[in-house]
Amino acid sequence: EAPPGAMLTAFKSVLQAGATPADIGFYFLHWFTDLAGAEATPLGGSEKFVLRFPHAVLASFLWSIPYLGKLTQMSETGVVESYLCARWQVLAPETATPEGEDAVASMRLAVMAQRDDRIVNIFQSLPHRDRSTLTTELARTGCKGQRFSGGPPKLSGGPALLVYYSPALLQKNADGNLYGALRVLAEVFRAGRALWPCSKEEEGGSATVQIAALKGETVDKVIERATEEDKTYVLRRHNDLEGIVELLSKSQEVELASQGVRFAALDLANILRGPPSIAASEVLSDGEDGTTSCGGTSSGGAIRSGRSRGSSQAQSEEGRPLLLLDPTSSFPDLNANRRGTLGAESELAGLRQENWLLRDRVEAMGAELVRVRMKLLELDPDSLSNGTPPLAAGGARGCGEPP
């Protein structure tokens, strides 16, 4: 499960060079043979293939292979969209195929989680910022000039982000906090977009973000572990094509920043607290021409900690207006009890916003301390060697640029 460009562009180029659909079948026969011998035993046969490869995954894989033969007549995006629609009918046979600009996101999430349309209901219940992020990022194709018919109609720019192990993340939480897992996935996409800013020139490219550190346990345990160890999950950019999520201490973050390594911290602390106040939700407006902009996932245009910005901020860092949702007008079906609590929720949202702004100010001061300290060390390496307090770690959570 990945953007069409990352999955199929190389395949299509091979087909265009003269390979046939029969060659594709032979390739996958070789693939299965190789898998069968990965962990063989002398008498027990193919242990990994027989005992550790889920039958449902094997059946799904075999079911999808015929679609690859369509690459000879269809674009990569067309093949993937036809596959998603067909797969939806298998996962949710009594539910109509999703429509609208979030249709591709809905189907991709269902395929990732190997669940029916219930995951779509959870997806629709996410805060607007998370829902918008997933809708936009899951609709990027990684193929220049190609768009899904079931995505934002004027979406453009790239690279597309392939979040490696995202199916494992959702499946691990399928019977638990799937809501939280979707919010984590949205946060990963935001951090990835901060590290790989969207541009027209990169529309035909893809970048892979590896999240093995988030898939081993349930979302609740993943976040609790970071809190208990006083560490932060960060997405570190290795090169133009790859990045990885790691759990780092504050001192490790400072070290990365001092080395000029580009990274973005994931703000997962608020995910366990449930949905935020609707009044605090924010979205970036579309361009005047109606085109969904490259920055539409609210990454702020800079490599940051991934924390959502307070709704009191009138403009994004790119100078584009931020729209605040009015709960009573945007969600007229909210019941009377919900309306009665809007005042308290709005006040709570305001306190959260003030907290975010204060933390940003503290981090900015910490970043300045890092720069001053490094400058002093350059001028006189021995000046801070005696009795100097440890370097403040607050500044490492910012943009990850060299001090």
Side-chain angles (χ1 to χ4, degrees), residues 63-387:
W63 185 90
S64 68
I65 288 178
Y67 282 86
L68 295 173
K70 297 182 180 181
L71 279 172
T72 54
Q73 293 88 29
M74 300 173 64
S75 68
E76 299 95 317
T77 301
V79 169
V80 170
E81 191 157 19
S82 66
Y83 165 77
L84 290 174
C85 292
R87 194 66 192 160
W88 175 269
Q89 294 303 320
V90 173
L91 296 172
E94 298 182 359
T95 305
T97 303
E99 298 179 350
E101 65 177 31
D102 62 357
V104 166
S106 298
M107 291 187 289
R108 286 190 64 183
L109 291 172
V111 170
M112 288 185 201
Q114 292 295 300
R115 287 293 189 273
D116 55 22
D117 59 329
R118 285 174 292 181
I119 190 174
V120 178
N121 297 331
I122 298 175
F123 166 60
Q124 296 292 345
S125 73
L126 293 175
H128 185 278
R129 183 168 180 254
D130 293 338
R131 197 168 66 251
S132 177
T133 295
L134 293 174
T135 296
T136 300
E137 297 299 340
L138 290 173
R140 296 196 189 277
T141 65
C143 298
K144 192 173 184 61
Q146 296 184 24
R147 295 183 181 88
F148 288 109
S149 63
K154 296 184 178 181
L155 183 66
S156 63
L161 298 176
L162 191 170
V163 182
Y164 204 86
Y165 290 127
S166 54
L169 170 67
L170 298 186
Q171 291 171 29
K172 185 70 176 182
N173 294 274
D175 297 320
N177 189 3
L178 188 53
Y179 178 92
L182 288 175
R183 295 202 67 192
V184 167
L185 183 59
E187 182 69 6
V188 170
F189 271 118
R190 279 191 291 270
R193 186 54 61 202
L195 292 172
W196 283 273
C198 190
S199 69
K200 301 288 186 181
E201 293 74 17
E202 294 294 327
E203 185 172 281
S206 300
T208 300
V209 174
Q210 201 252 71
I211 61 167
L214 301 175
K215 75 174 181 69
E217 298 180 296
T218 63
V219 166
D220 297 21
K221 290 183 178 179
V222 164
I223 299 174
E224 286 173 2
R225 178 187 174 193
T227 302
E228 291 172 358
E229 298 180 10
D230 195 22
K231 294 182 178 180
T232 304
Y233 286 100
V234 305
L235 171 56
R236 176 161 55 141
R237 174 169 167 155
H238 278 323
N239 51 51
D240 290 345
L241 301 177
E242 298 172 312
I244 186 171
V245 171
E246 300 171 315
L247 183 61
L248 302 180
S249 65
K250 291 183 175 62
S251 61
Q252 289 173 313
E253 291 185 59
V254 172
E255 182 179 358
L256 285 183
S258 67
Q259 295 172 353
V261 177
R262 302 182 68 189
F263 69 94
L266 306 181
D267 180 23
L268 306 183
N270 293 318
I271 290 178
L272 288 178
R273 300 175 187 173
S277 168
I278 298 173
S281 299
E282 59 183 56
V283 294
L284 290 173
S285 66
D286 290 340
E288 293 180 0
D289 62 351
T291 301
T292 302
S293 70
C294 290
T297 57
S298 188
S299 65
I303 304 174
R304 305 187 57 83
S305 64
R307 187 164 48 254
S308 61
R309 308 296 294 174
S311 62
S312 61
Q313 186 175 355
Q315 291 186 329
S316 74
E317 293 179 26
E318 298 173 333
R320 304 171 62 204
L322 298 178
L323 306 181
L324 303 182
L325 303 183
D326 177 359
T328 56
S329 62
S330 300
F331 301 89
D333 58 335
L334 296 176
N335 58 36
N337 290 334
R338 172 64 173 158
R339 292 191 180 94
T341 64
L342 287 178
E345 290 185 349
S346 180
E347 182 177 355
L348 178 59
L351 292 174
R352 286 176 178 167
Q353 293 157 18
E354 292 178 9
N355 185 37
W356 290 331
L357 293 174
L358 287 173
R359 285 192 293 181
D360 283 348
R361 188 168 300 175
V362 170
E363 289 174 3
M365 294 173 64
E368 182 64 23
L369 177 60
V370 172
R371 286 191 286 270
V372 171
R373 180 175 172 81
M374 295 301 294
K375 187 65 176 178
L376 289 174
L377 287 173
E378 290 176 4
L379 296 174
D380 184 0
D382 298 326
S383 63
L384 300 178
S385 60
N386 297 321

